[in-house]
Every structure is written in structure tokens, then in C-alpha cells.
Amino acid sequence: MARPTILDRFRPVGAPGPSGPAGVPSTDQEGPDAELLPVFAALQPDTDEGRAQIQAAAVQARNLLAEARRQADAEVAQARLDSGSVRARAAEEVAQQAAAQEQEMLAQARNRAEQLSRSAQERLPALAAKIAESIARDNLAGDGGSESASGSSSGRTP
């Protein structure tokens, strides 16, 4: 007798002739384990290969991770070595900028001082003339009769 297969479960129950109920298991003595055992046995090599690929990928991932960590540690160590020179360059740049700003501010202050000096020099003759006129008026007022006019308007007494 031939060995039953999964397809035997779906054979008609009745004899040839008019159709009988379809899809009803004819026998269920061995159970689903006996039916699925050949399928799982056929899949076993693929399952083993999949596990081997997973293990190889895990090993490769660990190796890549170890290499990445090594490279990162090397870059951090190099950055620490370079940080001193970078800080020195940054400090030099800041000092140069500060010196340039100081020179610019000093030049602006000198220009402003020169402007004020020129302005004072330009106003000095007019101011001196005004002071001389005021002194002359006060001295002349004390000698002549115009004292009352200038004294009353200035509010001073000789």
C-alpha cells in the first residue's frame, strides 16, 4: 500500500460514481506531525544555513563595531593632541583682533582730538577778541561817563 500524503486527506470518501462529501479527512491515524515531518526535514538545511548567516553577520557586526571604536578612540586622541595648538591659534587670533581694535580706537581718538583742537584754534581768535572787548569796555567804563550804562546792564560794580 502507498504511503498516505497530505493530499489523501482531501480525497472523496465515497466510491467512484456520484460525488460525495469533499474535504473530509479519510484517516487521521498518524496526525499532523507525520504529515509535516518531511516538510521540516526538507527545510532543515535552509534553516541551518540561515542560522550560519546570522552568526556570520553577528561576528562581522562585532568586528565592524570594534574597528569603529578603535578609529573613534584614535580620532579622539588626535583631537586631544591637536587641541593645544588649536587653542594657541585661537588665543593668537583673539589677541590680534584685540590689538587691531585697540589701534582703531586709538586712531579714532586721535582724529577726534585733532578735530577738537582745530575747532578750538578756529574759535580762539573770536573768543580772544570778545574777551579783549569785554576788558576794554570794563576799563573804559571806569574812566569815562559810560559807567552807568555798562554797569547797569552788566550788574557789576567797580
Side-chain angles (χ1 to χ4, degrees):
M1 181 171 163
R3 183 173 166 195
T5 66
I6 193 166
L7 297 177
D8 290 336
R9 296 180 75 191
F10 301 103
R11 291 184 189 238
V13 176
S19 63
V24 176
S26 61
T27 60
D28 195 21
Q29 297 168 358
E30 296 178 2
D33 291 342
E35 292 176 5
L36 295 176
L37 196 63
V39 175
F40 289 135
L43 291 175
Q44 190 62 41
D46 293 332
T47 304
D48 293 341
E49 183 181 343
R51 282 192 185 111
Q53 287 179 354
I54 289 171
Q55 289 174 351
V59 168
Q60 185 180 8
R62 283 192 296 271
N63 291 340
L64 288 174
L65 185 60
E67 178 64 21
R69 284 185 177 146
R70 187 194 62 73
Q71 287 179 354
D73 290 343
E75 288 181 20
V76 167
Q78 185 63 42
R80 286 186 179 140
L81 291 174
D82 294 343
S83 68
S85 63
V86 170
R87 285 183 183 143
R89 272 188 265 134
E92 180 64 29
E93 289 176 13
V94 168
Q96 288 176 353
Q97 289 175 355
Q101 287 178 346
E102 182 181 338
Q103 290 297 324
E104 185 179 334
M105 289 174 59
L106 185 58
Q108 289 175 354
R110 284 183 180 146
N111 288 340
R112 182 68 179 141
E114 288 176 14
Q115 289 174 352
L116 290 174
S117 177
R118 275 188 258 127
S119 176
Q121 290 295 329
E122 291 171 359
R123 293 189 313 183
L124 191 59
L127 185 59
K130 193 173 182 181
I131 292 171
E133 179 184 325
S134 174
I135 291 172
R137 198 178 17 196
D138 287 345
N139 285 338
L140 290 178
D143 292 342
S146 65
E147 179 182 333
S148 62
S150 65
S152 63
S153 65
S154 66
R156 289 183 254 156
T157 56

